[in-house]
Amino acid sequence: MLKIVSGDITKISVDAIVNAANTSLLGGGGVDGAIHRAAGPELLAECRMLHGCKTGQAKITKGYRLPAKYVIHTPGPVWNGGSRGEEELLKSCYESCLKLAAERGCRTVAFPSISTGIYRFPLEKASAVAVRTILSFCQSHPEIEEVQMVCFDERTKGFYDSALQKENILHIEF
Ligand code: APR
């Protein structure tokens, strides 16, 4: 089941939170910076041993001082106008994270809005990709009991709320 909530992902106590990282996995600004600050220095120490991560792929670490047990790091695509496979790469971020979460036995997962900050991915497209990908993955993986999309501001939440409403309407049996 997918819930759209407002809040700070570093405070959400779920099995795994997702980090909108960069390919170095060595921290950054935005949610990446917030997660590293809240998790403490051991997170960076573990990330150093992962030797980076390709855009659209995902790697998992412990959560350390975070309430979440794990952090799943995924570098989203930088928006370059939409003709460089950005939507496919964003879809792959959500799928890779959920696959890793299921493999690790996570029942609850929280995502930030990947790529819609510093990476400038338009919110309308990103929220549609995210909602569609999460819902279809969860349909075939009931072991993932709950996914939260944690929005840091009201504008972002508005896009995810309407993306979810559109998907739900599409799936109402007539
Ligand atoms: N909790 C939840 N969401 C947050 C938080 C937080 N504490 N802080 C920021 N966000 C939101 C932003 O408001 C935005 O909606 O996360 C979303 C993603 O924005 P960014 O963090 O800028 O991530 P992204 O656009 O994917 O850019 C990734 O930024 O921080 C660097 O190292 C990172 O180079 C990478 C790039």
Side-chain angles (χ1 to χ4, degrees):
M1 178 251 282
L2 173 59
K3 277 194 330 187
I4 313 293
V5 300
S6 294
D8 174 349
I9 200 165
T10 65
K11 305 217 177 346
I12 307 274
S13 65
V14 286
D15 292 334
I17 62 169
V18 172
N19 179 22
N22 59 55
T23 52
S24 76
L25 294 187
L26 299 180
V31 70
D32 194 4
I35 287 173
H36 275 274
R37 274 193 300 281
E42 300 104 316
L43 177 60
L44 182 57
E46 186 176 358
C47 283
R48 280 195 206 290
M49 295 190 286
L50 297 176
H51 305 300
C53 183
K54 286 198 176 69
T55 299
Q57 297 185 7
K59 291 191 177 178
I60 191 165
T61 65
K62 289 199 282 291
Y64 299 104
R65 297 177 197 167
L66 288 161
K69 202 164 156 206
Y70 298 109
V71 181
I72 298 176
H73 306 260
T74 186
V78 178
W79 181 254
N80 263 307
S83 57
R84 306 254 180 102
E86 293 97 323
E87 284 195 39
E88 267 313 300
L89 281 168
L90 186 62
K91 180 168 187 277
S92 169
C93 284
Y94 285 99
E95 281 173 348
S96 305
C97 292
L98 288 167
K99 271 189 202 120
L100 254 184
E103 279 164 19
R104 201 56 75 99
C106 300
R107 291 178 303 104
T108 56
V109 183
F111 282 97
S113 174
I114 298 168
S115 282
T116 65
I118 293 164
Y119 282 0
R120 299 186 334 280
F121 205 115
L123 258 169
E124 184 152 16
K125 283 184 195 304
S127 55
V129 168
V131 166
R132 214 175 295 143
T133 307
I134 294 167
L135 289 179
S136 83
F137 186 91
C138 290
Q139 250 165 5
S140 48
H141 292 78
E143 69 274 24
I144 302 269
E145 290 166 14
E146 183 185 85
V147 177
Q148 294 181 56
M149 176 54 72
V150 183
C151 302
F152 205 49
D153 58 72
E154 279 316 300
R155 179 170 175 271
T156 300
K157 185 164 186 307
F159 279 101
Y160 281 91
D161 281 336
S162 61
L164 184 55
Q165 272 154 20
K166 280 182 202 140
E167 278 302 308
N168 287 339
I169 288 169
L170 282 177
H171 288 88
I172 291 171
E173 301 301 322
F174 287 99

